[in-house]
Amino acid sequence: DSGVTQTPKHLITATGQRVTLRCSPRSGDLSVYWYQQSLDQGLQFLIHYYNGEERAKGNILERFSAQQFPDLHSELNLSSLELGDSALYFCASSVDLAGVRGKNIQYFGAGTRLSVL
Amino acid sequence: GQQVMQIPQYQHVQEGEDFTTYCNSSTTLSNIQWYKQRPGGHPVFLIQLVKSGEVKKQKRLTFQFGEAKKNSSLHITATQTTDVGTYFCAGRWIYNQGGKLIFGQGTELSVKP
């Protein structure tokens, strides 16, 4: 158990809908990262939050947004869903910003499997 | 943009054979991490390499970071069925934003008993 909790584990929805994925980081971790994993795309970095502030963006679509709350949990909002959004969404947390010298081990949650029908 | 190329995409071996996966970046990395994802599981951190030419071992696993800090490899000696999974390298660059990791595509290892 990594200590990172993601809910729900599975989500089935229809095209055009909106969903929210939730992540609770490990106790004490200030950084939360979101990744999308699909069969042919590997692990794609979406966005990084540190202590409530957005720190970096990856290939995140405009239909997707995220935030980190004062209690450090994070939510990833996916709207106007398309078939191609079906994937496994991982959240990871780490203790700090990690700089190049820091170890910055990322601990991954079990993921949310999103199926858009 | 920054990316890490990882090969091969798939590797099928007989139990007891060795296995190697390679990662390559076109630009110098500040460090590289390796993760393992078991089938149906989530990525789990294995190791981080920071220094040029660094070699680290974990039992049957040997990790190397190239002298130019642009490539890395993971070698497994005498594979076992417990080694099955996808191995990812993840690179970090000196000036990238907030320490984000860029993952390679992963190498899926299957081991035939």
Side-chain angles (χ1 to χ4, degrees):
Chain A
D1 182 11
S2 66
V4 178
T5 304
Q6 286 189 250
T7 56
K9 288 187 179 179
H10 302 278
L11 201 48
I12 302 174
T13 189
T15 55
Q17 295 299 303
R18 172 189 168 94
V19 297
T20 297
L21 313 184
R22 182 187 169 103
C23 170
S24 294
R26 291 189 326 149
S27 176
D29 284 0
L30 299 178
S31 273
V32 170
Y33 304 80
W34 285 97
Y35 294 89
Q36 179 191 58
Q37 186 175 44
S38 49
L39 281 175
D40 57 347
Q41 292 291 323
L43 269 168
Q44 297 293 313
F45 167 74
L46 295 178
I47 199 162
H48 168 209
Y49 276 85
Y50 174 76
N51 203 20
E53 292 188 6
E54 181 185 303
R55 296 293 303 189
K57 266 187 174 179
N59 299 322
I60 187 166
L61 300 171
E62 285 192 13
R63 300 183 286 107
F64 295 2
S65 65
Q67 57 185 136
Q68 186 179 27
F69 296 86
D71 66 352
L72 300 177
H73 91 271
S74 178
E75 292 182 356
L76 179 66
N77 300 295
L78 314 176
S79 61
S80 302
L81 285 168
E82 301 175 359
L83 295 177
D85 297 327
S86 295
L88 196 50
Y89 291 84
F90 284 110
C91 161
S93 74
S94 66
V95 67
D96 59 15
L97 266 178
V100 298
R101 292 184 183 83
K103 200 151 199 178
N104 187 226
I105 297 169
Q106 293 192 12
Y107 294 88
F108 284 76
T112 293
R113 184 170 295 282
L114 174 66
S115 298
V116 182
L117 306 178
Chain B
Q2 295 150 340
Q3 58 179 346
V4 176
M5 304 303 295
Q6 188 173 354
I7 58 168
Q9 191 173 359
Y10 303 98
Q11 186 79 56
H12 308 285
V13 300
Q14 194 76 33
E15 189 172 22
E17 292 182 340
D18 292 355
F19 159 77
T20 305
T21 174
Y22 302 89
C23 279
N24 186 64
S25 166
S26 58
T27 55
T28 303
L29 296 161
S30 59
N31 57 59
I32 194 161
Q33 295 183 350
W34 285 90
Y35 289 77
K36 176 183 178 181
Q37 184 177 17
R38 293 182 187 276
H42 57 274
V44 175
F45 174 82
L46 293 176
I47 209 159
Q48 174 170 287
L49 304 172
V50 178
K51 299 176 184 176
S52 168
E54 190 170 12
V55 178
K56 286 189 177 180
K57 292 190 176 185
Q58 289 179 352
K59 297 182 181 178
R60 295 177 295 103
L61 277 61
T62 302
F63 304 83
Q64 294 189 348
F65 202 8
E67 293 290 339
K69 298 182 72 173
K70 289 184 177 181
N71 55 72
S72 181
S73 65
L74 157 60
H75 180 82
I76 302 179
T77 303
T79 54
Q80 300 175 358
T81 54
T82 53
D83 296 324
V84 164
T86 300
Y87 293 84
F88 292 96
C89 60
R92 183 177 284 118
W93 287 260
I94 293 174
Y95 300 111
N96 77 357
Q97 306 156 280
K100 69 179 181 183
L101 287 173
I102 302 298
F103 281 78
Q105 288 293 93
T107 296
E108 184 179 337
L109 172 64
S110 63
V111 179
K112 191 174 182 181

